């Protein structure tokens, strides 16, 4: 990589993977567990006595994206409910969840990230079978339909944006590319997502070319073989958020070297992988975090009107998305439509 020593490159990559993991997959977080009450960012009307308001508990990781989701929630809910937070990490125990639940007695819990979902699932399992499950709304977790399967009275919003959204936008921006064949390497648990995306891609004449890896084959060698098989068959590559296939080791040894040889667009599910300094991802479409909070708030309002019941097991797609492009990489590969770039892309990344 230009003007960056190998040692510095390793350091930057490690930092990026850490950020990536915090956003979308179960991962480490070094901050200690803390609790606090969320204050409305904008007070729309005089605050009423909190003693007559019901409580809502937000269980989340630390980080800017999570704070933006909280902002969206707070803007919509703070006049109706008292919002509390529990900031968690990989070392948080279910006893801490139980203690906060007793302290706050929330009518509903909002869960952010797979770690929060996992902790709340374990908390629910520790309760007597006769206990009514406090409803929950989950956001910012990978593969949400799978993540909330073990939860009672739970609903959520997908973090993954349908692939067809990314490809249609990419077609418009990169005027010389048709992107009729999109390749993806995936494991067995992703088959429902693959079938879902294949159906909607077909409506836009996009053929999803898949390579299935068994769980025991999620290795450097097998992944390298899979990518080499797809290389000449596809016009672009889709990289879902699977932490067995996308991690520090795999990125360093397989994905980034492959991207340099591939020289075609790579669609990712997180912003950090589109950073120009890694010369990896070309384009990402992710949920807008503030709008994600607002969408979650609407589910909370629906639950309030339904005696605090949610559509159990139902997972909505994100309604508002945020489009990010690695412009320098895109311009090296294709002719970029500058007018559509300015009108359609929310964030344009260039190397400093």
């Amino acid at each position: 990589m230009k003007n960056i020593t190998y040692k510095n490159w390793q350091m930057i990559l490690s930092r990026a993977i850490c950020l990536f993991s915090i956003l979308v997959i179960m991962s480490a977080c070094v901050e200690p567990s803390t609790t606090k009450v969320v204050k409305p960012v904008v007070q729309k009307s005089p605050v009423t006595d909190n003693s007559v308001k019901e409580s809502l508990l937000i269980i989340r990781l630390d980080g800017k994206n999570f704070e933006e989701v909280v902002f969206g929630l707070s803007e919509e809910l703070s006049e109706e409910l008292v919002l509390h937070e529990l900031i968690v990490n990989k070392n948080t125990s279910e006893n801490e969840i139980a203690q906060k639940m007793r302290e706050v007695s929330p009518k509903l819990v909002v869960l952010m990230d797979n770690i929060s979902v996992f902790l709340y699932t374990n908390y629910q399992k520790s309760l007597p079978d006769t206990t009514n499950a406090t409803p929950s709304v989950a956001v910012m977790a990978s593969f949400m339909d799978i993540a909330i399967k073990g939860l009672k009275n739970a609903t959520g919003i997908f973090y993954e944006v349908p692939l067809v959204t990314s490809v249609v936008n990419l077609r418009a921006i990169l005027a010389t590319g048709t992107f009729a064949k999109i390749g993806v390497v995936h494991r067995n648990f992703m088959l429902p997502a693959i079938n879902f995306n294949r159906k909607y891609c077909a409506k836009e004449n996009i053929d999803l070319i898949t390579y299935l890896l068994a769980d025991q084959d999620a290795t450097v060698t097998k992944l390298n073989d899979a990518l080499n098989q797809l290389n000449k068959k596809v016009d672009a590559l889709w990289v879902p958020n699977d932490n067995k296939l996308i991690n520090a080791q795999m990125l360093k040894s397989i994905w980034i070297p492959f991207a340099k040889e591939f020289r075609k667009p790579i669609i990712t599910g997180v912003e950090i992988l589109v950073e120009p300094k890694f010369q990896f991802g070309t384009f990402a479409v992710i949920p807008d975090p503030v709008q994600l909070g607002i969408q979650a708030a609407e589910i909370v309002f629906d639950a309030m009107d339904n005696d605090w019941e949610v559509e159990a097991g139902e997972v909505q797609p994100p309604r508002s998305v945020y489009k990010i492009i690695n412009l320098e990489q895109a311009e090296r590969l294709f002719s970029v439509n500058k007018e559509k770039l300015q009108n359609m892309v929310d964030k344009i990344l260039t190397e400093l």
Side-chain angles (χ1 to χ4, degrees):
M1 191 173 293
K2 294 180 181 179
N3 301 323
I4 297 179
T5 65
Y6 179 72
K7 181 178 179 181
N8 287 341
W9 181 85
Q10 281 187 310
M11 179 182 67
I12 293 170
L13 178 59
S14 298
R15 181 182 176 191
I17 298 307
C18 182
L19 290 171
F20 165 57
S21 301
I22 287 174
L23 284 172
V24 294
I25 58 181
M26 293 187 64
S27 63
C29 182
V30 298
E31 295 294 328
S33 300
T34 59
T35 63
K36 60 182 178 181
V37 177
V38 180
K39 297 180 180 179
V41 181
V42 178
Q43 187 175 306
K44 297 181 179 178
S45 62
V47 178
T48 59
D49 184 359
N50 283 346
S51 64
V52 301
K53 291 184 180 181
E54 302 285 8
S55 291
L56 179 144
L57 176 60
I58 300 166
I59 302 176
R60 68 172 179 89
L61 274 67
D62 196 13
K64 180 182 176 182
N65 281 47
F66 300 107
E67 291 169 359
E68 290 177 345
V69 179
V70 172
F71 178 90
L73 279 165
S74 178
E75 284 288 275
E76 299 298 311
L77 298 176
S78 58
E79 293 182 6
E80 304 291 334
L81 300 165
V82 182
L83 274 60
H84 302 263
E85 282 189 298
L86 175 63
I87 310 299
V88 300
N89 59 52
K90 68 171 184 177
N91 298 317
T92 302
S93 68
E94 67 184 53
N95 289 334
E96 292 176 76
I97 305 294
Q99 179 181 350
K100 193 63 179 178
M101 291 291 289
R102 289 192 297 269
E103 175 191 332
V104 173
S105 298
K107 300 298 286 187
L108 185 142
V109 179
V110 176
L111 306 167
M112 298 188 192
D113 188 85
N114 294 79
I115 289 178
S116 299
V117 174
F118 177 76
L119 287 168
Y120 192 67
T121 301
N122 285 346
Y123 161 74
Q124 275 194 352
K125 289 178 179 177
S126 71
L127 299 174
D129 291 339
T130 55
T131 304
N132 291 329
T134 302
S136 60
V137 178
V139 297
M140 301 286 284
S142 298
F143 306 108
M144 185 65 74
D145 53 338
I146 298 172
I148 67 170
K149 271 189 176 180
L151 280 174
K152 299 175 183 177
N153 202 10
T155 187
I157 303 171
F158 279 111
Y159 188 82
E160 291 80 14
V161 175
L163 175 62
V164 66
T165 303
S166 298
V167 179
V168 168
N169 280 278
L170 201 58
R171 278 176 169 174
I173 298 162
L174 305 185
T176 56
T178 58
F179 311 119
K181 297 181 183 297
I182 309 296
V184 59
V185 180
H186 67 93
R187 293 188 296 142
N188 191 66
F189 82 94
M190 274 196 64
L191 279 173
I194 293 296
N195 292 333
F196 170 86
N197 280 284
R198 177 178 279 118
K199 174 184 175 182
Y200 285 95
C201 282
K203 294 180 179 180
E204 296 292 335
N205 298 314
I206 302 163
D207 189 10
L208 192 56
I209 310 297
T210 64
Y211 193 107
L212 174 63
L213 278 182
D215 287 347
Q216 65 270 22
D217 291 336
T219 63
V220 168
T221 301
K222 294 291 186 179
L223 176 59
N224 187 58
D225 290 344
L227 291 173
N228 287 332
Q229 288 285 330
L230 288 174
N231 192 351
K232 296 181 180 180
K233 299 178 181 179
V234 300
D235 307 313
L237 196 66
W238 172 38
V239 183
N241 304 323
D242 181 350
N243 64 333
K244 294 293 184 182
L245 299 180
I246 307 295
N247 53 52
Q249 179 190 10
M250 293 294 200
L251 277 167
K252 176 183 173 183
S253 57
I254 298 297
W255 288 104
I256 291 175
F258 172 80
K260 292 177 181 177
E261 299 294 328
F262 186 57
R263 297 189 60 77
K264 299 172 189 176
I266 295 177
I267 300 166
T268 77
V270 288
E271 178 177 347
I272 193 66
L273 294 181
V274 187
E275 288 285 346
K277 58 192 172 190
F278 302 120
Q279 299 182 22
F280 180 61
T282 312
F283 193 63
V285 179
I286 61 175
D288 180 301
V290 174
Q291 293 300 317
L292 196 61
I294 292 172
Q295 185 176 348
E298 292 177 9
I299 299 175
V300 175
F301 280 128
D302 288 342
M304 290 173 65
D305 293 338
N306 195 34
D307 197 24
W308 295 107
E309 292 290 328
V310 297
E311 295 288 336
E314 183 75 16
V315 182
Q316 302 179 7
R319 289 204 302 260
S320 181
V321 296
Y322 192 74
K323 289 162 280 189
I324 308 153
I325 194 168
N326 177 347
L327 182 59
E328 292 185 13
Q329 186 188 86
E331 288 182 327
R332 285 198 303 269
L333 301 176
F334 294 95
S335 173
V336 176
N337 186 318
K338 293 297 178 66
E339 180 180 351
K340 290 187 177 179
L341 178 72
Q342 296 297 327
N343 292 334
M344 298 176 65
V345 177
D346 300 287
K347 192 170 184 179
I348 299 171
L349 301 179
T350 57
E351 195 164 8
L352 297 178

